[in-house]
Amino acid sequence: EGARLLAAEWALDDRDAARAIELLNALPHGVARRTHALRLRLQAARLGGQPQEALKTARLLIKHQGFSAVAGAGLVRSLAFEALDGAHDVDQLRRLWMSLEPADRRDAFIAARAATQASALGSHDDARAWLRPLWDDIAELAPEDRWAIAEALAGAVSGIGPEWLSRLDAASQALPRDGAVALAAGRALAERGLWGKSRALLEQAAGDPALPTTTRRKAWIALAELATREGDPARAARCFENAARQG
């Protein structure tokens, strides 16, 4: 057993993930669950491009107190990102999402990453469905979590239905000075054709100094698109110029 563990270490040193996993799979069940063996398996899974297996192993390590709570949470988030980013189609992404632990699906950054990937693959309905539980409690989230969820929703407004109007209004009333919430609500209202209300919200987001520059840039671009829809090319050009100034 000790020789197999050592050989697995050597295989990892040689960046031979397949050989390391083969050696680790040959270990007795009890030995394979020890912290050292699990750490080697985690390294092998990551090296071999198997983020789901790495995620499963990381959870075992956390259970066996192989990581601190903070380090474990950060590792799980990172591995979830890798798995979600590797989805090649919507069906695969859905399977990955459902394979996550319920606590992971309630992590704002993981949910935002999954929703962003769903939107990129053209499944805006899935994106909104995955964001909805967190959006409904958005006033309870930390600012960074709110920004992640709101920005993901802002990118998932294509085809948004009227049932979201009350959710958007409730969030805007609960957080009237939050620029990220204003961005999401503004983009959604523009999608619904409520351009006047949309413009005011997007202008709020664009002028919010608390937001990251990338988020403010998205607000200016949304304002430029809105101006184009309204047939005002001069205003659209000014908005695009302001977007470019965000760095």
Side-chain angles (χ1 to χ4, degrees), residues 62 67-77:
I62 294 167
F67 294 107
S68 68
V70 173
L75 177 61
V76 166
R77 184 179 285 169

Side-chain angles (χ1 to χ4, degrees), residues 14 113 115 138 145 182 217:
D14 291 337
R113 191 70 160 239
I138 198 162
D145 291 356
R217 185 185 306 120

Side-chain angles (χ1 to χ4, degrees), residues 3-207:
R4 282 198 182 98
L5 286 169
L6 184 58
E9 290 183 30
W10 290 343
L12 288 171
D13 288 342
D14 291 337
R15 302 191 64 76
D16 188 344
R19 177 59 178 160
I21 291 172
E22 179 185 354
L23 289 161
L24 292 167
N25 285 341
L27 291 170
H29 181 74
V31 178
R33 304 281 264 189
R34 291 175 186 170
T35 299
H36 180 54
L38 289 172
R39 286 185 181 276
L40 293 176
R41 184 176 291 277
L42 175 60
Q43 293 178 46
R46 299 195 79 175
L47 179 62
Q50 300 178 26
Q52 286 181 276
E53 180 63 25
L55 190 55
K56 176 182 175 183
T57 305
R59 290 197 185 100
L60 284 172
L61 274 166
I62 294 167
K63 182 179 179 180
H64 290 286
Q65 299 182 331
F67 294 107
S68 68
V70 173
L75 177 61
V76 166
R77 184 179 285 169
S78 175
L79 292 171
F81 285 0
E82 289 180 24
L84 294 165
D85 291 351
H88 300 299
D89 56 53
V90 172
D91 288 339
Q92 184 184 13
L93 183 63
R94 287 173 184 150
R95 289 193 298 272
L96 283 167
W97 174 252
M98 293 308 300
S99 74
L100 296 175
E101 296 287 330
D104 298 336
R105 295 199 295 269
R106 289 287 300 184
D107 181 298
F109 288 95
I110 293 176
R113 191 70 160 239
T116 299
Q117 182 72 341
S119 295
L121 293 170
S123 185
H124 302 286
D125 288 342
D126 281 316
R128 290 192 295 271
W130 299 342
L131 293 170
R132 189 173 61 219
L134 287 145
W135 181 267
D136 287 345
D137 293 332
I138 198 162
E140 309 302 320
L141 301 181
E144 294 82 1
D145 291 356
R146 285 203 307 270
W147 296 344
I149 293 299
E151 192 162 342
L153 181 59
V157 298
S158 179
I160 196 167
E163 73 278 3
W164 269 88
L165 293 179
S166 60
R167 292 190 181 98
L168 296 164
D169 186 58
S172 297
Q173 289 189 31
L175 299 161
R177 290 182 290 277
D178 191 295
V181 169
L183 172 65
R187 287 289 306 274
L189 292 176
E191 176 70 11
R192 296 293 304 169
L194 302 171
W195 294 348
K197 292 181 178 179
S198 170
R199 188 185 310 111
L201 289 164
L202 292 172
E203 287 172 348
Q204 177 188 341

